[in-house]
């Protein structure tokens, strides 16, 4: 007979009284350490209380004791997702869906995670499976609308939105989708009206955050920086309180950056035979996506848009005898060849036939791993996308897709500035120590002198000028899936100037991080580095 404390704890959990539920589950497990339902539900509670690692351990124990439970697998997927273990989370969601035919929530969760990862075709298929089970399901329809909008398929997005509005016009996620489509169509007032209708609703934190980010974007476009910043701050506060904040991951990431920065110089590698990709790096929101789309429009290049290639390279380095990053100092030639093979195995899985085109691997935070990249591809052309540090930090703070980069790293201005400073300190040291085949492209210069900057970039990559690069916006739209990054809507438009020096409109809000960023403003050659006198005036 089931322990009655389980139903009591479950009721507390459903009411959001997680500490009380935790105490009851733990009491059950003291009496019976192998009670699978208690292990499972305590794992769910611990993940919600900010300890997804412990949650994963407990739910995996529950699954070992009681295999094939779809609810266990589904909640394991949620905890793995909170840990940033995306592939394992996807496998858990799929296991849940296979164990329970008709498990719509598993297909929907899988679609949402694939969407976050920029794997839009797979995400659309997962939403399709959810809608096959429930053709008028509001959340599945709304998420499909958001995916179609992000893929620049606006006519299809409008058609799906009509279905969603007909099925559930008052559903908050449907209102958010309607606001997003309205913004893309230029109907900003209508978009704000949709979001205003959500005010007063008790929304889940993730959804409330999405709505606040959308409101901030609209207010920014309307020239209301103070109100926009308030909306972005609220959105980030909600993210920080949600189950996927990732503070533990961010601390580990900063620790890795520090270790890489302090790593002793490795012996200079010898050149190796075989193909060599180019790497487009920098920091998120520095113009990488724009440069990637420009290069992808060139018939002699193929841009990989933040695919798992460098992650595969790092994973292979972690398996070396010395581990990563310490093992970089003593790499043998055979080990370098093994690492190259791991990289190209991942690249071939996503790039497909290249027909001799130059592979351009666009990943802003691959900057962190530039030492590893140089050891494995010493002759690789490196393109560093640079933008005013205050614009970069502000733009990262204004974006919703935090998990796409460093989970938890951008939820406050201070955390964003700290991460930026850590990455740029590593980069400046690496650029001084390593004989990189380097080209720096400043976003501001690209806006002012498109052809001159692109000609120089193409020359650095060994590519001839081709007028197709000027049609990058049309090329991006024709790709359908477009960019997987927060810049997806901008890169389908002609080059514009409105994002240059946007920070000036937000100078008062940025005051807390200006002094921290001033050294990078100076070292990158911008003439408006904040001084103590200027900071006192803000």
């Amino acid at each position: 007979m089931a322990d009655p404390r389980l139903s009591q704890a479950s009721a507390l959990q459903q009411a959001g009284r997680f500490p009380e539920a935790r105490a009851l589950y733990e009491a059950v497990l003291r009496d019976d350490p192998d009670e699978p339902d208690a292990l499972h539900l305590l794992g769910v509670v611990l993940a919600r209380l900010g300890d997804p690692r412990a949650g994963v351990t407990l739910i995996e124990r529950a699954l070992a004791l009681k295999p094939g439970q779809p609810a266990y697998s589904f909640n394991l997927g949620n905890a793995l997702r909170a840990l940033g273990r995306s592939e394992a989370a996807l496998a858990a969601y799929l296991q849940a869906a296979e164990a329970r035919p008709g498990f719509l929530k598993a297909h929907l969760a899988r679609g949402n995670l694939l969407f976050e990862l920029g794997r839009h075709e797979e995400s659309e298929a997962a939403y399709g499976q959810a809608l096959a089970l429930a053709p008028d399901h509001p959340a599945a329809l709304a998420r499909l609308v958001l995916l179609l909008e992000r893929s620049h398929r606006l006519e299809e997005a409008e058609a799906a939105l009509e279905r969603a509005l007909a099925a559930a016009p008052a559903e908050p996620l449907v209102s958010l989708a309607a606001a997003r489509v309205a913004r893309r169509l230029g109907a900003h007032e209508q978009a704000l009206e949709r979001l205003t209708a959500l005010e007063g609703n008790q929304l889940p934190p993730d959804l409330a955050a999405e709505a606040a980010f959308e409101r901030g974007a609209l207010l920014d476009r309307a020239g209301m920086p103070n109100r926009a910043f308030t909306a972005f701050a609220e959105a980030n506060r909600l993210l920080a309180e949600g189950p996927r904040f990732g503070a533990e991951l961010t601390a580990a990431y900063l620790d890795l950056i520090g270790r890489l920065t302090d790593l002793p110089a490795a012996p200079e590698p010898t050149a190796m035979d075989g193909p060599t990709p180019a790497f487009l790096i920098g920091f998120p929101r520095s113009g990488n996506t724009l440069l990637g789309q420009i290069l992808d429009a060139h018939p002699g290049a193929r841009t990989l848009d933040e695919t798992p290639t460098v992650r595969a390279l790092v994973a292979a380095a972690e398996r070396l005898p010395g581990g990563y990053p310490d093992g970089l100092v003593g790499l043998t030639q055979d080990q370098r060849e093994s690492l190259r093979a791991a990289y190209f195995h991942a690249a071939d899985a996503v790039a497909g036939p290249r027909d001799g085109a130059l592979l351009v691997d666009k990943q802003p935070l691959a900057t962190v791993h530039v030492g590893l990249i140089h050891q494995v591809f010493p002759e690789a052309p490196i393109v560093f996308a640079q933008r005013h540090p205050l614009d970069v930090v502000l733009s990262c703070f204004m974006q919703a897709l935090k998990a796409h980069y460093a989970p938890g790293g951008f939820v406050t201005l201070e955390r964003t500035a700290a991460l930026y400073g850590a990455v740029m300190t590593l980069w400046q040291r690496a650029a001084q120590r390593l004989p990189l085949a380097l080209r720096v492209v400043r976003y501001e210069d690209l806006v002012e002198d498109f052809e001159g900057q692109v000609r120089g970039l193409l020359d650095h990559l060994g590519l001839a000028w081709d007028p197709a690069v000027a049609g990058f916006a049309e090329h991006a739209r024709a790709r359908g899936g477009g960019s997987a990054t927060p810049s997806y809507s901008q890169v389908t438009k002609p080059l514009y100037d409105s994002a240059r020096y946007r920070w000036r409109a937000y100078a008062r809000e940025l005051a807390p991080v200006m002094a921290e960023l001033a050294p990078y403003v100076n070292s990158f050659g911008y003439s408006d580095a904040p001084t103590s006198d200027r900071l006192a005036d803000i």
Side-chain angles (χ1 to χ4, degrees):
M1 184 174 179
D3 191 318
R5 290 175 294 180
L6 285 175
S7 59
Q8 296 169 23
S10 179
L12 290 167
Q13 182 177 344
Q14 294 299 318
R17 296 163 62 180
F18 298 117
E20 296 168 77
R22 172 181 181 173
L24 269 181
Y25 289 135
E26 289 174 340
V28 172
L29 289 169
R30 280 194 294 271
D31 295 335
D32 183 359
D34 291 329
E35 211 305 318
D37 287 339
L39 287 167
H40 163 231
L41 293 170
L42 179 58
V44 174
V45 165
L46 290 178
R48 290 298 305 270
L49 288 172
D51 192 358
R53 191 177 303 279
V56 166
T57 299
L58 290 173
I59 299 171
E60 286 179 337
R61 279 182 59 194
L63 271 168
L65 292 163
K66 199 174 177 180
Q69 294 298 305
Y72 291 13
S73 296
F74 177 76
N75 286 317
L76 176 62
N78 290 339
L80 289 164
R81 183 179 180 185
L83 268 181
R85 293 173 57 187
S86 299
E87 293 303 322
L90 290 170
Y93 289 141
L94 186 60
Q95 187 177 42
E98 290 174 344
R100 183 196 295 172
F103 197 171
L104 187 146
K105 285 175 64 178
H107 293 297
L108 192 54
R110 191 165 179 273
N112 292 344
L113 180 52
L114 288 164
F115 175 78
E116 275 190 18
L117 296 171
R119 292 159 61 175
H120 292 168
E121 289 185 8
E122 294 172 85
S123 177
E124 186 173 356
Y127 291 145
Q129 289 173 304
L131 289 168
L133 296 168
D136 294 325
H137 192 275
L141 283 169
R143 288 296 176 192
L144 179 61
V145 171
L146 293 169
L147 182 147
L148 292 168
E149 178 271 330
R150 192 174 182 86
S151 300
H152 319 300
R153 294 154 61 186
L154 291 181
E155 289 187 6
E156 293 176 73
E158 287 183 275
L161 179 60
E162 285 185 17
R163 288 176 57 195
L165 288 169
E171 172 68 30
L173 187 56
V174 173
S175 294
L176 174 63
R180 183 77 52 80
V181 171
R183 173 165 63 84
R184 283 297 300 277
L185 295 173
H188 292 172
E189 289 187 10
Q190 180 184 341
L192 277 171
E193 287 174 5
R194 291 281 188 186
L195 295 175
T196 301
L198 292 178
E199 294 177 2
N201 285 279
Q202 290 295 112
L203 303 179
D206 282 3
L207 181 54
E210 287 188 70
F213 276 118
E214 188 66 28
R215 184 179 298 106
L218 288 162
L219 292 168
D220 177 72
R221 283 162 176 74
M224 302 178 188
N226 294 338
R227 290 180 60 191
F229 190 86
T230 299
F232 291 129
E234 173 65 7
N236 281 295
R237 182 190 67 79
L238 290 162
L239 276 189
E241 292 179 354
R244 291 184 285 126
F245 172 50
E248 179 185 349
L249 286 177
T250 303
Y253 189 53
L254 287 169
D255 178 68
L256 173 63
I257 293 171
R259 291 169 62 198
L260 285 164
T261 304
D262 296 335
L263 197 69
E268 183 60 22
T270 57
M272 289 185 277
D273 295 330
T276 298
F279 292 88
L280 174 51
I281 62 175
F283 197 84
R285 311 300 295 162
S286 294
N288 304 74
T289 299
L290 174 60
L291 287 171
Q293 293 291 354
I294 290 168
L295 291 172
D296 197 66
H298 192 289
R302 171 76 185 277
T303 298
L304 294 184
D305 194 3
E306 303 187 25
T307 54
T309 46
V310 174
R311 289 201 298 274
L313 182 60
V314 171
E318 289 171 342
R319 294 191 292 269
L320 293 172
Y324 182 74
D326 298 330
L328 286 185
V329 177
L331 283 180
T332 67
Q333 197 72 357
D334 285 346
Q335 288 170 336
R336 290 192 183 93
E337 293 289 355
S338 174
L339 292 171
R340 284 171 68 95
Y343 175 88
F344 280 115
H345 178 76
D348 291 343
V350 293
R354 296 192 293 278
D355 301 323
L358 172 68
L359 193 67
V360 179
D361 196 333
K362 189 217 89 177
Q363 298 197 52
L365 284 175
T367 306
V368 170
H369 305 293
V370 68
L372 172 61
I373 290 169
H374 181 67
Q375 283 292 312
V376 178
F377 299 104
E379 297 178 338
I382 304 292
V383 180
F384 183 79
Q386 184 177 291
R387 185 183 177 194
H388 196 295
L390 286 165
D391 272 336
V392 171
V393 167
L394 174 65
S395 189
C396 287
F397 182 73
M398 293 166 65
Q399 301 305 317
L401 293 183
K402 315 298 184 182
H404 197 70
Y405 298 111
F410 301 145
V411 293
T412 68
L413 279 177
E414 290 77 10
R415 291 174 70 94
T416 309
L419 182 57
Y420 180 89
V423 174
M424 290 304 110
T425 297
L426 182 155
W427 164 248
Q428 289 176 331
R429 184 171 184 183
Q432 291 170 357
R433 291 168 54 182
L434 302 176
L436 301 173
L438 176 63
R439 173 84 179 185
V440 176
V441 180
R442 282 172 44 136
Y443 172 79
E444 296 82 5
D445 295 341
L446 182 64
V447 171
E448 284 190 355
D449 179 21
F450 178 86
E451 184 170 334
Q453 290 295 314
V454 175
R455 282 185 180 276
L457 172 60
L458 294 176
D459 184 63
H460 177 67
L461 298 175
L463 298 171
W465 169 262
D466 192 293
V469 296
F472 68 90
E474 293 79 5
H475 174 77
R477 284 193 293 271
R479 286 181 65 185
S483 169
T485 73
S487 305
Y488 71 99
S489 62
Q490 289 96 327
V491 296
T492 59
K493 301 175 183 177
L495 207 60
Y496 60 96
D497 193 37
S498 59
R500 225 174 23 145
Y501 306 119
R502 174 185 275 151
W503 74 267
R504 292 170 180 163
Y506 292 86
R508 186 173 300 278
E509 289 79 9
L510 287 164
V513 299
M514 280 189 175
E516 184 174 0
L517 295 175
Y520 307 103
V521 177
N522 274 319
S523 61
F524 289 150
Y526 292 95
S527 60
D528 53 359
T531 64
S532 57
D533 291 340
R534 290 182 62 194
L535 287 173
D537 292 335
I538 292 174

